[in-house]
Structures are given as structure tokens and as C-alpha cells.
């Protein structure tokens, strides 16, 4: 596939961009460094991830205690609510 540099240069000038032709590594690196120098430089801010609080275990313990209480009370005089 052939590339027409004149057309690419005109597109770049119409859109406010730049045309870079990279025929070897050095020309590619020069173009890349030119683009890289014009980019905004912002520092990354890492936010510490706080894991969600697991509520399954306390609820499971509460369920087991309530089931045990139901089983215990079903064998006493409190079998039925009045």
C-alpha cells in the first residue's frame, strides 16, 4: 500500500497537526519525541483501595444462633407462642 506524503501533509496542515515520515528508527524516534514533548504532563495519583467490609460472617452467626434458640425453645414449655 503506497502513501502519498503530499496528501498527508495537506491533511495535517488543514487539521492543525503535523506530518512525520518515519523511514527508519531514528526518524521515528525524533517524531515520537516531538509528539511526546508536546503532551500534557500530569502525575498519576494512586488511590488506596479499601476492601469492602464483609457482613456475611456476622449475619451467618446470628442466623445459626437464632436457629439454635428456636430448636432449644421448641423442646421446652415455650413450644408455641400463646
Amino acid at each position: 500500500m503506497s502513501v502519498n506524503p503530499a496528501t498527508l501533509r495537506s491533511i495535517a496542515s488543514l487539521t492543525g497537526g503535523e506530518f512525520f515520515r518515519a523511514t527508519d528508527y531514528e526518524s521515528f524516534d525524533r517524531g515520537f519525541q516531538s509528539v511526546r514533548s508536546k503532551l500534557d504532563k500530569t502525575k498519576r495519583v494512586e488511590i488506596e483501595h479499601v476492601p469492602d467490609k464483609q457482613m456475611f460472617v456476622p449475619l451467618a452467626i446470628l442466623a445459626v444462633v437464632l436457629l439454635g434458640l428456636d430448636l432449644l425453645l421448641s423442646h421446652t414449655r415455650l413450644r408455641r407462642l400463646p
Side-chain angles (χ1 to χ4, degrees):
M1 184 167 139
S2 66
V3 176
N4 187 348
T7 304
L8 293 177
R9 280 191 185 94
S10 66
I11 291 171
S13 67
L14 288 173
T15 60
E18 291 185 51
F19 172 75
F20 298 100
R21 183 172 183 121
T23 55
D24 57 359
Y25 179 76
E26 288 80 24
S27 60
F28 170 76
D29 192 44
R30 280 193 308 272
F32 180 74
Q33 294 304 328
S34 172
V35 170
R36 188 174 182 201
S37 68
K38 294 176 185 174
L39 292 176
D40 292 335
K41 293 183 178 34
T42 57
K43 289 189 174 189
R44 292 185 186 179
V45 176
E46 290 189 29
I47 300 172
E48 183 180 337
H49 177 70
V50 178
D52 295 333
K53 196 172 187 181
Q54 297 295 324
M55 296 299 293
F56 172 75
V57 174
L59 290 176
I61 291 171
L62 179 64
V64 168
V65 168
L66 289 176
L67 285 173
L69 186 62
D70 178 51
L71 183 65
L72 179 69
L73 292 177
S74 68
H75 294 301
T76 63
R77 295 181 89 199
L78 300 172
R79 285 191 291 223
R80 249 190 299 168
L81 291 175

